[in-house]
Amino acid sequence: MKITKSWSMPNKNTFEIKPIKKLIYKYYKDYYISIDPFANRNKICKITNDIDNSFNTDYNLDALDFCKQFDSNSVDFVLFDPPYSPRQISECYKKLGKSVNMETTQSSFWSNIKNEIKRITKPNGVVICFGWNSQGIGKKRGFINKEILLISHGGNHNDTICTVEIKQTQLF
């Protein structure tokens, strides 16, 4: 596994950070069936979603509902850039006039989506996760780490941790 550290100014649009964009395109292929459940304004993947309908995405669903639409083992590439904290989830939902409850702010929010990503990703499929930790989708779900990129933003800003994982063809 390759681990790289880079420095970049903070940007709420994660994929506009140069080292992150470079990492994505290192693994992305045009012929992939690719999805982004939290696309915001990004158009990297072929199929995009964002719960906020002010963004020009293919779907405006909750990320879990979006992922549930796909058949098992049908997606080659996933960008997983969810809100990084319960506070960010709460702010997003409140901004959209949606109710915020325990279901939307506890760890099951991320776990349920990760379970769906596991289900829909093809064997040898690539998932790139972004957040404040390096958990990614995880070994217990049949993924192995290929690469980790740590983006230090300096000052009081949290680092962005990017994990590239590959779904194993068989679980051990």
Side-chain angles (χ1 to χ4, degrees), residues 1-13:
M1 173 177 48
K2 180 179 178 184
I3 300 175
T4 307
K5 183 175 180 180
S6 186
W7 185 89
S8 182
M9 292 296 293
N11 187 334
K12 69 177 184 170
N13 297 301

Side-chain angles (χ1 to χ4, degrees), residues 6 41 45 51 57 59 69 71 73 82 86 102 108 113 132 139 151 159 164:
S6 186
R41 67 182 192 190
C45 290
I51 195 169
T57 54
Y59 295 90
Q69 296 183 110
D71 292 335
N73 300 313
M102 282 186 57
S108 63
I113 299 168
W132 291 332
K139 187 175 181 177
I151 303 294
D159 296 341
V164 178

Side-chain angles (χ1 to χ4, degrees), residues 150-162:
L150 173 68
I151 303 294
S152 175
H153 300 295
N156 291 328
H157 300 284
N158 289 323
D159 296 341
T160 300
I161 302 172
C162 316

Side-chain angles (χ1 to χ4, degrees), residues 51-161:
I51 195 169
D52 186 341
N53 64 9
S54 70
F55 295 114
N56 183 23
T57 54
D58 299 310
Y59 295 90
N60 297 113
L61 302 171
D62 178 82
L64 182 61
D65 294 333
F66 170 72
C67 290
K68 285 182 177 183
Q69 296 183 110
F70 296 92
D71 292 335
S72 296
N73 300 313
S74 65
V75 175
D76 298 292
F77 184 87
V78 180
L79 289 177
F80 184 61
D81 186 23
Y84 296 175
S85 70
R87 179 191 55 80
Q88 288 179 338
I89 295 168
S90 179
E91 288 173 1
C92 176
Y93 272 60
K94 285 179 182 176
K95 174 186 152 206
L96 298 171
K98 298 187 179 290
S99 64
V100 178
N101 54 38
M102 282 186 57
E103 189 175 306
T104 55
T105 58
Q106 58 188 205
S107 62
S108 63
F109 171 85
W110 294 277
S111 295
N112 292 336
I113 299 168
K114 288 178 180 184
N115 289 336
E116 279 302 304
I117 290 172
K118 171 199 178 231
R119 182 187 66 78
I120 66 177
T121 304
K122 291 179 180 179
N124 295 315
V126 176
V127 178
I128 304 180
C129 297
F130 305 86
W132 291 332
N133 64 58
S134 60
Q135 288 178 330
I137 302 302
K139 187 175 181 177
K140 74 177 185 175
R141 290 186 182 91
F143 286 78
I144 59 161
N145 280 326
K146 177 87 172 164
E147 185 169 348
I148 295 175
L149 173 63
L150 173 68
I151 303 294
S152 175
H153 300 295
N156 291 328
H157 300 284
N158 289 323
D159 296 341
T160 300
I161 302 172

Side-chain angles (χ1 to χ4, degrees), residues 24 40 156:
I24 291 168
N40 196 287
N156 291 328

